[in-house]
Amino acid sequence: MSAPALYLEKIERSYDQAGLPLEILRGADFSLWAGQSVALIAPSGAGKSTLLHIAGLLEKPDAGEVYVAGLGTTHLADDARTALRRSEIGFVYQFHHLLPEFSALENIMLPQMIGGYSRREAKDRAMQLLDYLGLAARGKHRPAELSGGEQQRVAIARAVANGPGLLLADEPTGNLDPKTANHVFEALDAIVRATGLATLIATHNMELAGRMDRRVTLRDGLLVELA
Ligand SMILES: Nc1ncnc2c1ncn2[C@@H]1O[C@H](COP(=O)(O)OP(=O)(O)OP(=O)(O)O)[C@@H](O)[C@H]1O
């Protein structure tokens, strides 16, 4: 049997706050398989972003191991971690973080070209994704010329353009009105279903969380499954 897309084993992380250790994660375990979508629901300050940064290889845990596509990562050299992150992990944030001076199409092409795809391949894939997300006519537009929901759909396309196995999203609809949030969530869900990605999404939106395969929360620094 193949490995989970993401496996967190006894993750510990604390921060120094005013000279005192603030323990955020205290041995959190979690596994996420290809094709699964999981909502991470927890109060502000519980450690959702910390967990996503660790799962996304942006931050190292103090103890424990992060396996991405079956590969242990904490002892990898920095360049190997970066390469694994670029090929295996896509990120979507609350704010789109698109590059303002580039068009929607170029924003989706860039990570692919950094990942070694030719300009032609990157453009074809970017156009396919835009088409899939109902944005075929908006490829030449810069982020400032797009609505909030369109910007976020472009950010989703960019996150999956390199064909990662794992998609991590931190409040991807947190900045949108309910109707637009629903539209963006449906785009995300359609891409996830079409590609068989494993997805972990931190969200406060209980209605969207209810449509995902599993729901987890952070309790006393551990990940706990919700009904
Ligand atoms: N670099 C840091 N240095 C010190 N404390 C930090 C640091 N990063 C996060 N924290 C603290 O760790 C705790 C968890 O933060 P985190 O951002 O992971 O929570 P969150 O659940 O994502 O919250 P929110 O829903 O408000 O985004 C908070 O108390 C925060 O102040």
Side-chain angles (χ1 to χ4, degrees):
M1 202 169 168
S2 62
L6 172 69
Y7 176 46
L8 303 178
E9 186 182 41
K10 298 189 171 47
I11 300 296
E12 294 177 24
R13 182 73 170 110
S14 59
Y15 292 113
D16 182 82
Q17 280 205 344
L20 293 172
L22 177 70
E23 292 183 325
I24 303 298
L25 302 172
R26 304 179 180 198
D29 290 317
F30 178 66
S31 52
L32 177 60
W33 294 83
Q36 272 190 342
S37 60
V38 179
L40 172 58
I41 312 153
S44 183
K48 300 180 295 297
S49 298
T50 301
L51 186 91
L52 288 174
H53 286 161
I54 289 173
L57 310 182
L58 293 166
E59 210 178 293
K60 280 189 185 178
D62 299 329
E65 181 58 289
V66 179
Y67 296 87
V68 172
L71 193 68
T73 60
T74 52
H75 295 101
L76 287 178
D78 284 351
D79 54 351
R81 278 168 68 82
T82 303
L84 185 65
R85 185 168 68 238
R86 284 200 181 131
S87 65
E88 279 302 319
I89 307 174
F91 291 93
V92 181
Y93 299 95
Q94 180 170 1
F95 299 99
H96 58 79
H97 295 301
L98 297 170
L99 297 172
E101 67 275 30
F102 290 101
S103 68
L105 194 71
E106 288 164 342
N107 266 283
I108 305 168
M109 288 169 66
L110 270 172
Q112 299 179 77
M113 291 169 69
I114 292 168
Y117 291 94
S118 71
R119 195 177 167 79
R120 181 79 258 157
E121 287 169 320
K123 190 169 180 189
D124 287 350
R125 170 103 174 124
M127 283 171 57
Q128 267 176 15
L129 283 166
L130 280 173
D131 192 30
Y132 193 79
L133 292 169
L135 294 170
R138 314 308 302 270
K140 291 200 173 126
H141 294 184
R142 293 186 183 188
E145 297 167 317
L146 303 172
S147 71
E150 287 167 346
Q151 290 166 345
Q152 211 47 339
R153 279 184 282 153
V154 174
I156 292 167
R158 178 187 53 180
V160 302
N162 272 350
L166 175 63
L167 182 67
L168 301 173
D170 199 350
E171 289 283 347
T173 61
N175 192 37
L176 305 171
D177 65 72
K179 191 163 162 237
T180 311
N182 194 41
H183 198 178
V184 167
F185 182 83
E186 277 171 4
L188 186 66
D189 196 46
I191 290 246
V192 166
R193 306 272 168 216
T195 55
L197 267 169
T199 320
L200 178 61
I201 303 183
T203 183
H204 290 291
N205 187 326
M206 295 305 285
E207 202 239 312
L208 300 186
R211 294 200 238 156
M212 300 181 67
D213 297 328
R214 286 162 56 199
R215 282 147 292 284
V216 296
T217 191
L218 277 163
R219 202 170 286 154
D220 298 328
L222 300 178
L223 275 158
V224 179
E225 299 278 336
L226 296 168

